[in-house]
Structure formats: structure tokens, C-alpha cells
Amino acid sequence: MLEQLGISEDTLNFIKQEEESLKDVYKEIDDNCELNTMKVLAGFQKYEVSEGVFNSTTGYGYNDYGRDTIEKVFAYVLDAEDAIVRSQFISGTHALTVALFAFLRPNDKMLSISGLPYDTLHEVIGIRPNNSSLASYGVTYDQIDLVDNDFDYEKIKDYLKNNKVKLIEIQRSKGYSTRKSITLDKIERVVKAIREVDQEVIIMVDNCYCEFVETQTPLTVGADVIVGSLIKNLGGGIAPNGAYIAGRKDLIDLAGERLTCPGEGRDVGPTLGINKSILQGLFFAPSVVRSALKTAVLTAKSLEDMGYDVEPKYNVKRADIVENITFNDADKLIKYIQGIQAGSPIDSNAAPIPTDMPGYKDPIIMASGSFTQGSSIEFSCDGPIRPPYVAYQQGGLTYEYGRLGVAKAIENLKRG
Ligand SMILES: *Cc1c(COP(=O)(O)O)cnc(C)c1O
């Protein structure tokens, strides 16, 4: 079998040896999964999910009882007052865009306090010019960078004392940067700091890749609204597309008015037969996130022992499911990512090459041999072709497939 998979016995033995030293870390991941599983099950039971919820609507999607139930269950699981969960959100970026355009008005100011936001938001905000950006509507933007991977607490407070800010954006996952992702204890500290000087500013958190990595959410520690994608953690690899916005009810209503139209808001939106997939995805999500976390931990330990810089290290507290490997070499980055593709269930015969992607500045190489296009809760790896040539790896629907994927990528790297 190993020969068929193109993995040497040496490589598999190396992986097995590494796993021996990871038992304690895996135990913590199991415990976290157990708690999140309880939370999901409690949500299903509290809102009495029944077969009727799987029914479908078409057209306007009036009176979609299933859709409304899904949104209650998601709100419960995310510690939110309310949530909007829709397949009409094309992606996480689209949900973030809807939220920003819903909450901000001309002459309002948006402030990012986690440095430069995710690449695809640059044209949305107007950091890179676009005729339909927030900037084109007169929304101004400012940014405070992280310092040593933490918020610049004093600068943030000073800024808020001297400027009227409508919305603060915090991005937890690192995107294509080399900073660390942001854990909930830091979110809690910065929310407290913000509230010392400003009780009104909307605190919005880009929660992509972070769901179920911990048992709480940014809303539990005082954020107003969070946003994430269903082809990442919460979709459990089952949701065919979509995204969510969760948090304060007044904000969720505003997001609904912007996603559809003022006046119709959240009362429309056909579910077209996907309710069961969304709920089944949520049901699997704690376990899928566990697989993704273990795959990330195994990658961290293995690649570090092979002499590469990895972030996070295998034994630190994680904020998200992303693992960085710094190759300092374009060719090694490409080899590793091609190995991930070759180890995938779908399109294993395709060799990804760097290419320009809509919304991104540098050429990107992406391995995604996934059932759902672009799904990055499935084992996937990508990276911009720019120094220091960092791979961003994430996902793994099951740990067993994840570890074989890592083995295959290591094999490809070793063969050069
Ligand atoms: C994935 C991601 C997004 C949204 O990406 P989509 O591909 O549009 O779903 C936004 N922010 C961060 C930090 C992400 O990781």
C-alpha cells in the first residue's frame, strides 16, 4: 500500500515516532473536542432539531423554519445573541464585506487593531483602490499594528480617546502574514481596554479558522460580532458553501438588510435543500477541527525536527488550525505544496503551480484536493510566492488522512 501511495517506510516510521511524543498534546485536543461536542448536541436539543428542519424552500424563501432553526443553533454554539447563516454568502470575505457595509456609513471610521487585514479585504476597504470599496463611499480607514504579536493597548486607547471610531476590526488568524494568530485571552484583554475608553464602538472579529479551537468565542469575552466561513471549521467539510455572522441582534438585523434588501432583510433567502448539510456539518465540526488540530501539531513537530521553522510550535496554545512552515526557498515551498496535492483524495494527479488569484497581490500556489472547491477545512496548503516562502497549511477531515498527507508532502520534499 505504501508503494502505491508513494510514501517510503522511512517516512512513515518517522511520523510514527513523532506521534509517540505527541500523546499529551493530543489528549488536550481530545478534551477540547469533547466540550465542543457537548455544546453542539445541547444546541440541537435545545432548539428541537427534527426532520422537518431539513425541508427546503425555493424562490423568496419565506417562512423557512429550517433556516431559522439553524440560525438559533449556530447562535447557541457561538455564545451569540443571534446569527445569520446563509448559503447566499459566497465566502468568508463576502460575509465580512456584508458586515462592514452593513455597519459603516459615509464619514464613519473603521480601525483595524491587528495590523493589515486579510488580502481579499484590501479592495473591500479601499487599501487597494476599487470603485466599489468602502473608501469610495467615504468610509475612512486606519490601522494600528500588533507589537510583538500582541495588541498595542496604550496606542489603541489613545487613538480612541482622540478619534471617533465606528468599528474596530480584529483578525484572529494570521492570513498570509508571519505574525502569530490571536488567542481568546488576548481578545478578552483588548476588549476590556477598549471598553475603558469607548463603550460604543462596534468590536468585530474575523473569526475564520478559529471556531472550536477553544471552547469559548470572542463573543463570550465581550466582542460584539464575529464572522466566519462554512467551508472552514464550522462547515465540518459537509456544508457546500456559505458563511455566518453572529453576535448582537441589532447588528445581525443590519447584516440581513444588507445581504438581501432593506425591508426584506432576514425574512428571505431560500435554502434550496442544504439545511441538512449545514446541520450535519456543524454536528461533525468539533471532531473535524480535532483532526485538523492534530494534523497541524504533527506537521509542526515533524517539520521542526527536519530543521524548518514552524509556527506555532507543536506544544503551544493554538488560536486557529493554521500551521506555518518557513522554507526560505521558493523551490522547497513548491515541492512541499505539490506533495500535499499529490497526497489528496481529489485531483491527486494535478501539479499545482503559482498563479495570480483574484483578490490577492502576489502569485499564490494552492494545494486543495478537496471535495468542495476551495474548502480549507479539508487538508490544504497554500502560500504566496514571496520571501520568506511560507507554507500555510490547514485542515484535515480525518486525522488518518491528514497524517498520510503530511507524510506524502515530506516525501516529496525529501525527494527534491
Ligand atoms: C479564509 C479567511 C477569510 C475569508 O476567506 P474566504 O476565502 O473568502 O472564505 C478571511 N479572513 C481570514 C483571516 C481567513 O483566514
Side-chain angles (χ1 to χ4, degrees):
M1 226 16 105
L2 283 181
E3 203 177 311
Q4 174 63 38
L5 293 171
I7 298 168
S8 66
E9 224 159 300
D10 266 6
T11 300
L12 195 67
N13 286 336
F14 170 64
I15 294 283
K16 283 183 179 163
Q17 227 176 323
E18 298 290 32
E19 282 173 320
E20 282 303 308
S21 60
L22 296 173
K23 288 187 174 143
D24 292 346
V25 184
Y26 284 3
K27 172 74 170 59
E28 282 174 34
I29 295 172
D30 288 336
D31 292 347
N32 179 66
C33 174
E34 186 183 350
L35 291 172
N36 282 318
T37 298
M38 287 181 183
K39 204 171 180 187
V40 169
L41 187 60
F44 274 64
Q45 293 174 353
K46 181 173 164 74
Y47 292 104
E48 301 180 348
V49 172
S50 62
E51 198 176 2
V53 167
F54 304 151
N55 286 341
S56 177
T57 54
T58 54
Y60 296 119
Y62 291 136
N63 304 315
D64 193 320
Y65 154 74
R67 182 189 67 213
D68 298 344
T69 304
I70 287 173
E71 293 183 340
K72 284 181 190 147
V73 175
F74 269 72
Y76 179 83
V77 166
L78 292 169
D79 298 338
E81 195 181 352
D82 208 342
I84 179 166
V85 184
R86 301 292 169 105
S87 67
Q88 282 81 16
F89 289 126
I90 304 306
S91 62
T93 303
H94 183 210
L96 287 159
T97 302
V98 167
L100 290 170
F101 276 88
F103 307 150
L104 292 160
R105 296 287 178 275
N107 303 318
D108 280 348
K109 185 182 279 295
M110 162 183 180
L111 174 69
S112 163
I113 59 168
S114 46
L116 192 63
Y118 193 67
D119 296 49
T120 56
L121 288 175
H122 296 182
E123 284 185 54
V124 175
I125 296 166
I127 298 168
R128 274 193 292 142
N130 182 299
N131 286 338
S132 299
S133 67
L134 286 165
S136 79
Y137 286 86
V139 174
T140 58
Y141 169 78
D142 218 340
Q143 177 180 311
I144 296 176
D145 289 335
L146 297 169
V147 179
D148 294 333
N149 288 301
D150 203 348
F151 296 105
D152 196 342
Y153 298 92
E154 288 314 310
K155 194 164 174 188
I156 294 167
K157 283 200 275 188
D158 277 350
Y159 192 97
L160 292 172
K161 278 179 202 154
N162 297 310
N163 297 274
K164 180 70 197 153
V165 176
K166 178 70 172 293
L167 179 142
I168 287 178
E169 202 238 7
I170 302 170
Q171 180 185 309
R172 296 187 62 195
S173 193
K174 65 189 67 148
Y176 284 141
S177 80
T178 49
R179 69 160 167 90
K180 288 184 175 28
S181 296
I182 301 171
T183 50
L184 278 182
D185 42 344
K186 284 180 187 157
I187 302 271
E188 184 166 19
R189 265 180 70 198
V190 84
V191 168
K192 282 209 179 98
I194 292 166
R195 290 298 178 228
E196 278 171 29
V197 290
D198 191 331
Q199 281 76 52
E200 281 174 7
V201 63
I202 299 166
I203 304 175
M204 170 171 144
V205 179
D206 176 349
N207 204 35
C208 281
Y209 284 138
C210 297
E211 300 92 350
F212 290 154
V213 173
E214 298 175 70
T215 52
Q216 297 187 321
T217 77
L219 300 170
T220 330
V221 298
D224 293 305
V225 65
I226 61 177
V227 184
S229 165
L230 294 191
I231 59 170
K232 293 182 178 173
N233 303 18
L234 279 193
I238 307 281
N241 87 318
Y244 73 86
I245 305 173
R248 255 169 50 192
K249 182 178 184 323
D250 60 322
L251 297 176
I252 301 310
D253 285 341
L254 280 173
E257 301 282 301
R258 172 71 206 194
L259 172 64
T260 68
C261 29
E264 298 186 18
R266 300 171 60 191
D267 294 336
V268 295
T271 47
L272 305 172
I274 68 161
N275 286 359
K276 183 175 166 204
S277 302
I278 300 236
L279 283 166
Q280 211 162 18
L282 181 65
F283 184 76
F284 280 119
S287 166
V288 171
V289 169
R290 163 172 62 184
S291 299
L293 285 169
K294 287 184 180 175
T295 304
V297 165
L298 176 66
T299 305
K301 181 76 169 69
S302 304
L303 274 289
E304 181 176 11
D305 287 346
M306 290 172 69
Y308 297 99
D309 276 339
V310 298
E311 210 296 305
K313 304 257 192 228
Y314 74 96
N315 56 356
V316 304
K317 187 176 165 66
R318 281 170 192 262
D320 62 15
I321 61 168
V322 181
E323 187 65 38
N324 280 17
I325 310 139
T326 302
F327 288 102
N328 286 313
D329 180 315
D331 191 51
K332 282 186 174 153
L333 170 67
I334 292 169
K335 279 270 153 28
Y336 184 83
I337 290 183
Q338 288 179 338
I340 302 262
Q341 183 77 37
S344 299
I346 315 294
D347 292 331
S348 60
N349 57 328
I353 51 168
T355 180
D356 290 325
M357 303 265 301
Y360 296 88
K361 195 168 76 238
D362 296 297
I364 311 259
I365 178 164
M366 278 195 178
S368 178
S370 56
F371 289 86
T372 297
Q373 188 189 92
S375 165
S376 47
I377 186 60
E378 300 182 49
F379 192 52
S380 55
C381 190
D382 41 64
I385 306 298
R386 66 182 178 224
Y389 303 105
V390 181
Y392 295 79
Q393 181 193 296
Q394 60 276 314
L397 292 184
T398 76
Y399 175 65
E400 289 71 20
Y401 290 119
R403 75 197 275 279
L404 286 176
V406 176
K408 180 77 176 179
I410 288 175
E411 195 71 50
N412 216 45
L413 192 59
K414 284 202 305 199
R415 288 184 189 173

